[in-house]
Amino acid sequence: MTLDAVRDAIDTCGEVDTAAFARRTRNAIALAIVARGDADPTRRRPSDALRAELGDELAALLASVYEGNSGWTSSAIDALEPLNELARRQWSPS
């Protein structure tokens, strides 16, 4: 597994409900950490959607993971708990 699966999950921010996004992203991150995946450097992250949906702190962590920089695994580990909290939320239609 590469970081492309993580990027695919992050790309869904704003397209699916937050709990589904968080579950998908959390699981992809966990698998990428185990695999120590590499990233395609040409992909561009959805920064605005991440900030709007998740706030600055979690968005920054996921942006670091998305970029696949040298410290991406630390950012990924730090992102797991907030993603887990979001994944557990019960969303009801407005």
Side-chain angles (χ1 to χ4, degrees):
M1 168 151 312
T2 67
L3 284 177
D4 285 335
V6 176
R7 288 175 166 183
D8 291 343
I10 291 172
D11 285 341
T12 66
C13 185
E15 297 173 6
V16 298
D17 70 62
T18 303
F21 165 81
R23 279 189 299 277
R24 183 178 296 156
T25 304
R26 175 196 62 198
N27 294 345
I29 284 173
L31 291 171
I33 290 171
V34 171
R36 300 281 185 188
D38 293 320
D40 171 4
T42 62
R43 283 182 71 165
R44 300 185 75 212
R45 69 183 181 274
S47 301
D48 294 336
L50 290 173
R51 278 192 300 278
E53 285 286 321
L54 308 171
D56 291 337
E57 188 174 336
L58 183 53
L61 289 171
L62 293 178
S64 176
V65 174
Y66 199 95
E67 291 170 2
N69 61 29
S70 62
W72 77 267
T73 54
S74 294
S75 294
I77 290 167
D78 291 343
L80 287 174
E81 182 56 32
L83 286 169
N84 194 45
E85 288 176 22
L86 288 172
R88 291 182 184 172
R89 288 187 185 169
Q90 295 296 319
W91 294 94
S92 59
S94 302

